[in-house]
Structure formats: C-alpha cells, structure tokens
C-alpha cells in the first residue's frame, strides 16, 4: 500500500503559487486554452483520486513519508518549470503555448499548484512543518500562484476556491473572517494533536539519522589489495 500510494503521488508532483484578483482578467478567446481547460479537468480528477488514496491510508507515519518525498519532487519540478517559462519570456496571460517544452512547463505549474493546494488543505500540519521552514519554497509558491491566477485556467471555477483557501491556510494572504478549512474533521483534530505529531516528527528524525549513519558506513574507507599481493 505504501509503495503504491507513494508512486501515485509522485507521478502527480510538480510545481507553484500567488493570489490575484481574478475579476481583473481579460476575457480569453483562446481555443487552445479552452481545449487545455478540459484536459485540466480530467487531470484534476486523477489527482483527487490519488489524494483520496493517500487520505485513506489512515496511517500518519506513512502519510508523512509520502508527503515528504512528494513535496521535494513537486518544488523541484516547479523551479525547473519556472526557469523554462522565464527563459521563454512566457507571461501567464499570453496565448496558450504551442511549443512542447513550454507547454509542458506551463501545465506542470498549473496542475501541480492546484494539487499542492489539495494536499495543504487536507494535511495542513504536515505541510506547514515543511513549508514554513523553507523560504525558497515560499517564493516559488507565490510565483506559481500568481502565474495560475493570471492564466484564465482557474477563473470562475471550483479550482480557484482551492487556491484561495490554500493561500489563506499558508498565510500567503490574510485569512478572511469566515475562513474555514472544509476538509478538516474532528477525527483530524484528534489524530493531529501537537503531542502526537511531535512524537511522529521525533521518530522520523531518528529514522533519518540512522539512515544517514548507514550511508556513511557504506561509504567508509575500504582496504584495497596491494599490487604485489597474489
């Protein structure tokens, strides 16, 4: 179950952030963008199904490990995608790109920013543990959100709400007076008490130290045979 869910989540991982006023966006008459938006809806269904599997693991230790791996991959792809888009001088409100490399980077940013929002809302304590300590991730996410909010892909749809909630959950924008995380349950509050979560963090840190020590032992000096030895 662990390896299956990990591979599903990692396949989805890849990019982004920001929070702009979508009412200021110009109407888009881009047929290629409209085609992509339909493909985006299909991709979102796949992402949510994978995330459902992660939620249903019902094992916070395994969830922690999967999210740890996934976030590192996600932000690596986001950074790579940003470099491609910046180098191409691709603006988020430009016509939908036709070049394959730019198109792939564009989709990575859009799809994985949305997916990161899903994860942040369903596993806020775990995501905060990583995100709050990494300023580079914060900058990438803000850039990605800003990009997404200007593409027109999210305008007027349910996915825009995910970006809005995520930006408030992570403190990117100020929480509205009526802010509530709709995915939090009473069971989540019980499972994610500070004491329980800190215990998991300590166990994970202990596991990492042991793993690092094993790697150092494997990399240790080796006795080579003398050239004159028969």
């Amino acid at each position: 179950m662990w390896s299956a869910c990990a591979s599903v989540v990692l396949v989805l991982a890849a990019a982004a952030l920001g929070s702009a006023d979508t009412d200021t966006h110009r109407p888009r008459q881009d047929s290629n963008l409209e085609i992509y938006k339909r493909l985006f809806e299909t991709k979102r269904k796949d992402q949510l199904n994978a995330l459902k599997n992660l939620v249903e693991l019902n094992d916070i230790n395994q969830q922690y490990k999967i999210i740890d791996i996934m976030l590192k991959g996600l932000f690596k792809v986001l950074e790579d995608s940003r470099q491609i888009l910046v180098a191409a001088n691709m603006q988020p409100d430009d016509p939908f790109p036709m070049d394959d490399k730019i198109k792939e980077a564009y989709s990575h940013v859009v799809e994985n920013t949305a997916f990161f929002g899903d994860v942040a809302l369903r596993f806020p304590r775990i995501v905060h543990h990583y995100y709050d300590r990494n300023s580079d991730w914060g900058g990438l996410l803000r850039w990605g959100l800003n990009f997404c909010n200007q593409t027109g892909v999210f305008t007027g749809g349910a996915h825009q709400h995910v970006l809005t909630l995520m930006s408030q959950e992570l403190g990117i924008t100020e929480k509205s007076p009526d802010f509530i995380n709709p995915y939090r349950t009473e069971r989540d509050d019980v499972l994610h008490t500070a004491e329980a979560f800190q215990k998991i963090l300590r166990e994970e840190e202990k596991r990492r130290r042991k793993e690092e020590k094993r790697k150092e032992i494997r990399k240790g000096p080796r006795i080579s045979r003398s050239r004159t030895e028969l």
Side-chain angles (χ1 to χ4, degrees), residues 94-108:
D94 284 346
F96 187 78
M98 300 306 296
D99 177 86
D100 288 343
K101 185 177 181 181
I102 299 174
K103 187 190 303 182
E104 182 179 50
Y106 179 104
S107 63
H108 278 163

PDB file of all heavy atoms in Angstrom, residues 94-108:
ATOM      1  N   ASP A  94      -0.425  35.325 -21.723  1.00  0.00           N
ATOM      2  CA  ASP A  94      -0.155  35.155 -23.148  1.00  0.00           C
ATOM      3  C   ASP A  94      -1.059  34.059 -23.714  1.00  0.00           C
ATOM      4  O   ASP A  94      -1.623  33.256 -22.955  1.00  0.00           O
ATOM      5  CB  ASP A  94       1.307  34.737 -23.366  1.00  0.00           C
ATOM      6  CG  ASP A  94       2.280  35.898 -23.204  1.00  0.00           C
ATOM      7  OD1 ASP A  94       1.826  37.057 -23.197  1.00  0.00           O
ATOM      8  OD2 ASP A  94       3.498  35.624 -23.091  1.00  0.00           O
ATOM      9  N   PRO A  95      -1.204  33.989 -25.037  1.00  0.00           N
ATOM     10  CA  PRO A  95      -1.934  32.860 -25.632  1.00  0.00           C
ATOM     11  C   PRO A  95      -1.323  31.544 -25.183  1.00  0.00           C
ATOM     12  O   PRO A  95      -0.121  31.462 -24.914  1.00  0.00           O
ATOM     13  CB  PRO A  95      -1.757  33.084 -27.136  1.00  0.00           C
ATOM     14  CG  PRO A  95      -1.539  34.558 -27.275  1.00  0.00           C
ATOM     15  CD  PRO A  95      -0.770  34.969 -26.061  1.00  0.00           C
ATOM     16  N   PHE A  96      -2.143  30.511 -25.126  1.00  0.00           N
ATOM     17  CA  PHE A  96      -1.664  29.207 -24.676  1.00  0.00           C
ATOM     18  C   PHE A  96      -0.495  28.762 -25.555  1.00  0.00           C
ATOM     19  O   PHE A  96      -0.574  28.827 -26.788  1.00  0.00           O
ATOM     20  CB  PHE A  96      -2.794  28.180 -24.740  1.00  0.00           C
ATOM     21  CG  PHE A  96      -2.437  26.858 -24.144  1.00  0.00           C
ATOM     22  CD1 PHE A  96      -2.441  26.682 -22.764  1.00  0.00           C
ATOM     23  CD2 PHE A  96      -2.078  25.784 -24.952  1.00  0.00           C
ATOM     24  CE1 PHE A  96      -2.099  25.457 -22.197  1.00  0.00           C
ATOM     25  CE2 PHE A  96      -1.746  24.554 -24.398  1.00  0.00           C
ATOM     26  CZ  PHE A  96      -1.755  24.392 -23.013  1.00  0.00           C
ATOM     27  N   PRO A  97       0.617  28.328 -24.950  1.00  0.00           N
ATOM     28  CA  PRO A  97       1.821  27.990 -25.726  1.00  0.00           C
ATOM     29  C   PRO A  97       1.621  26.759 -26.614  1.00  0.00           C
ATOM     30  O   PRO A  97       0.916  25.828 -26.249  1.00  0.00           O
ATOM     31  CB  PRO A  97       2.866  27.724 -24.639  1.00  0.00           C
ATOM     32  CG  PRO A  97       2.075  27.291 -23.447  1.00  0.00           C
ATOM     33  CD  PRO A  97       0.814  28.113 -23.500  1.00  0.00           C
ATOM     34  N   MET A  98       2.303  26.758 -27.739  1.00  0.00           N
ATOM     35  CA  MET A  98       2.238  25.625 -28.656  1.00  0.00           C
ATOM     36  C   MET A  98       3.534  24.829 -28.658  1.00  0.00           C
ATOM     37  O   MET A  98       3.550  23.659 -29.038  1.00  0.00           O
ATOM     38  CB  MET A  98       1.923  26.124 -30.074  1.00  0.00           C
ATOM     39  CG  MET A  98       0.585  26.858 -30.172  1.00  0.00           C
ATOM     40  SD  MET A  98      -0.797  25.867 -29.523  1.00  0.00           S
ATOM     41  CE  MET A  98      -0.812  24.502 -30.658  1.00  0.00           C
ATOM     42  N   ASP A  99       4.637  25.456 -28.266  1.00  0.00           N
ATOM     43  CA  ASP A  99       5.905  24.745 -28.153  1.00  0.00           C
ATOM     44  C   ASP A  99       5.790  23.679 -27.064  1.00  0.00           C
ATOM     45  O   ASP A  99       5.334  23.951 -25.955  1.00  0.00           O
ATOM     46  CB  ASP A  99       7.018  25.738 -27.800  1.00  0.00           C
ATOM     47  CG  ASP A  99       8.356  25.061 -27.585  1.00  0.00           C
ATOM     48  OD1 ASP A  99       9.072  24.856 -28.573  1.00  0.00           O
ATOM     49  OD2 ASP A  99       8.664  24.714 -26.415  1.00  0.00           O
ATOM     50  N   ASP A 100       6.206  22.443 -27.367  1.00  0.00           N
ATOM     51  CA  ASP A 100       6.009  21.326 -26.442  1.00  0.00           C
ATOM     52  C   ASP A 100       6.689  21.539 -25.094  1.00  0.00           C
ATOM     53  O   ASP A 100       6.116  21.236 -24.043  1.00  0.00           O
ATOM     54  CB  ASP A 100       6.517  20.024 -27.071  1.00  0.00           C
ATOM     55  CG  ASP A 100       5.613  19.521 -28.180  1.00  0.00           C
ATOM     56  OD1 ASP A 100       4.454  19.984 -28.254  1.00  0.00           O
ATOM     57  OD2 ASP A 100       6.064  18.681 -28.980  1.00  0.00           O
ATOM     58  N   LYS A 101       7.910  22.053 -25.109  1.00  0.00           N
ATOM     59  CA  LYS A 101       8.655  22.247 -23.867  1.00  0.00           C
ATOM     60  C   LYS A 101       7.988  23.301 -22.985  1.00  0.00           C
ATOM     61  O   LYS A 101       7.839  23.122 -21.769  1.00  0.00           O
ATOM     62  CB  LYS A 101      10.093  22.649 -24.179  1.00  0.00           C
ATOM     63  CG  LYS A 101      10.987  22.770 -22.952  1.00  0.00           C
ATOM     64  CD  LYS A 101      12.421  23.093 -23.360  1.00  0.00           C
ATOM     65  CE  LYS A 101      13.329  23.183 -22.141  1.00  0.00           C
ATOM     66  NZ  LYS A 101      14.734  23.515 -22.535  1.00  0.00           N
ATOM     67  N   ILE A 102       7.570  24.397 -23.592  1.00  0.00           N
ATOM     68  CA  ILE A 102       6.920  25.467 -22.837  1.00  0.00           C
ATOM     69  C   ILE A 102       5.537  25.018 -22.365  1.00  0.00           C
ATOM     70  O   ILE A 102       5.116  25.305 -21.244  1.00  0.00           O
ATOM     71  CB  ILE A 102       6.809  26.741 -23.705  1.00  0.00           C
ATOM     72  CG1 ILE A 102       8.209  27.219 -24.106  1.00  0.00           C
ATOM     73  CG2 ILE A 102       6.078  27.840 -22.941  1.00  0.00           C
ATOM     74  CD1 ILE A 102       8.198  28.378 -25.071  1.00  0.00           C
ATOM     75  N   LYS A 103       4.842  24.283 -23.220  1.00  0.00           N
ATOM     76  CA  LYS A 103       3.522  23.771 -22.863  1.00  0.00           C
ATOM     77  C   LYS A 103       3.603  22.844 -21.649  1.00  0.00           C
ATOM     78  O   LYS A 103       2.767  22.905 -20.750  1.00  0.00           O
ATOM     79  CB  LYS A 103       2.918  23.022 -24.049  1.00  0.00           C
ATOM     80  CG  LYS A 103       1.465  22.594 -23.855  1.00  0.00           C
ATOM     81  CD  LYS A 103       1.028  21.642 -24.961  1.00  0.00           C
ATOM     82  CE  LYS A 103       1.196  22.243 -26.325  1.00  0.00           C
ATOM     83  NZ  LYS A 103       0.729  21.335 -27.402  1.00  0.00           N
ATOM     84  N   GLU A 104       4.630  21.988 -21.623  1.00  0.00           N
ATOM     85  CA  GLU A 104       4.799  21.068 -20.502  1.00  0.00           C
ATOM     86  C   GLU A 104       5.090  21.830 -19.207  1.00  0.00           C
ATOM     87  O   GLU A 104       4.534  21.513 -18.158  1.00  0.00           O
ATOM     88  CB  GLU A 104       5.930  20.082 -20.790  1.00  0.00           C
ATOM     89  CG  GLU A 104       6.134  19.057 -19.685  1.00  0.00           C
ATOM     90  CD  GLU A 104       7.242  18.072 -20.016  1.00  0.00           C
ATOM     91  OE1 GLU A 104       8.343  18.526 -20.385  1.00  0.00           O
ATOM     92  OE2 GLU A 104       7.016  16.858 -19.882  1.00  0.00           O
ATOM     93  N   ALA A 105       5.954  22.840 -19.289  1.00  0.00           N
ATOM     94  CA  ALA A 105       6.267  23.638 -18.099  1.00  0.00           C
ATOM     95  C   ALA A 105       5.028  24.379 -17.606  1.00  0.00           C
ATOM     96  O   ALA A 105       4.758  24.448 -16.402  1.00  0.00           O
ATOM     97  CB  ALA A 105       7.387  24.634 -18.426  1.00  0.00           C
ATOM     98  N   TYR A 106       4.264  24.928 -18.527  1.00  0.00           N
ATOM     99  CA  TYR A 106       3.013  25.640 -18.208  1.00  0.00           C
ATOM    100  C   TYR A 106       2.062  24.703 -17.458  1.00  0.00           C
ATOM    101  O   TYR A 106       1.511  25.053 -16.412  1.00  0.00           O
ATOM    102  CB  TYR A 106       2.401  26.122 -19.515  1.00  0.00           C
ATOM    103  CG  TYR A 106       1.092  26.870 -19.420  1.00  0.00           C
ATOM    104  CD1 TYR A 106       1.058  28.256 -19.572  1.00  0.00           C
ATOM    105  CD2 TYR A 106      -0.116  26.196 -19.245  1.00  0.00           C
ATOM    106  CE1 TYR A 106      -0.147  28.949 -19.541  1.00  0.00           C
ATOM    107  CE2 TYR A 106      -1.318  26.886 -19.210  1.00  0.00           C
ATOM    108  CZ  TYR A 106      -1.335  28.249 -19.347  1.00  0.00           C
ATOM    109  OH  TYR A 106      -2.531  28.930 -19.315  1.00  0.00           O
ATOM    110  N   SER A 107       1.867  23.499 -17.991  1.00  0.00           N
ATOM    111  CA  SER A 107       0.931  22.555 -17.368  1.00  0.00           C
ATOM    112  C   SER A 107       1.436  22.067 -16.024  1.00  0.00           C
ATOM    113  O   SER A 107       0.650  21.853 -15.095  1.00  0.00           O
ATOM    114  CB  SER A 107       0.666  21.367 -18.302  1.00  0.00           C
ATOM    115  OG  SER A 107       1.853  20.626 -18.532  1.00  0.00           O
ATOM    116  N   HIS A 108       2.752  21.896 -15.879  1.00  0.00           N
ATOM    117  CA  HIS A 108       3.308  21.498 -14.592  1.00  0.00           C
ATOM    118  C   HIS A 108       2.987  22.524 -13.508  1.00  0.00           C
ATOM    119  O   HIS A 108       2.613  22.176 -12.386  1.00  0.00           O
ATOM    120  CB  HIS A 108       4.829  21.333 -14.697  1.00  0.00           C
ATOM    121  CG  HIS A 108       5.252  20.019 -15.261  1.00  0.00           C
ATOM    122  ND1 HIS A 108       6.522  19.807 -15.761  1.00  0.00           N
ATOM    123  CD2 HIS A 108       4.592  18.842 -15.390  1.00  0.00           C
ATOM    124  CE1 HIS A 108       6.604  18.554 -16.188  1.00  0.00           C
ATOM    125  NE2 HIS A 108       5.452  17.951 -15.968  1.00  0.00           N
TER     126      HIS A 108
END
